[in-house]
Amino acid sequence: MSSVMYVKPNCPYCQAAREHLAAEDEAIEERDATQNAAFKAELMRYTRNTGVVPTIVRSNGADVQVGFPPGRG
């Protein structure tokens, strides 16, 4: 599994995370939690049902960052 970022449309924190990850040359798969029920379920599991975006999942779930910058979203 590559890195995954859960997002919602028009989220300024998601845009900031996109720009940061692009500057770091980090490949990321974006998953819109508003368009796919499975993605929303994954997001809710990773965020302990808070649904905070962006949530960035790296290393097959071993590293989960909720919010960007960390702690925001």
Side-chain angles (χ1 to χ4, degrees):
M1 175 177 152
S2 62
S3 295
V4 174
M5 180 168 67
Y6 295 90
V7 299
K8 294 179 183 175
N10 303 312
C11 167
Y13 298 109
C14 298
Q15 184 59 36
R18 273 186 206 100
E19 293 169 4
H20 173 77
L21 294 168
E24 297 286 319
D25 289 325
E26 184 173 344
I28 199 98
E29 174 191 344
E30 285 194 28
R31 295 184 179 177
D32 185 338
T34 67
Q35 298 296 313
N36 183 304
F39 293 167
K40 181 178 180 180
E42 293 169 7
L43 171 66
M44 297 306 278
R45 186 177 75 245
Y46 285 121
T47 63
R48 297 188 174 129
N49 291 318
T50 64
V52 172
V53 293
T55 291
I56 303 166
V57 180
R58 298 177 179 94
S59 304
N60 291 319
D63 178 23
V64 178
Q65 176 183 327
V66 178
F68 186 87
R72 293 195 139 167

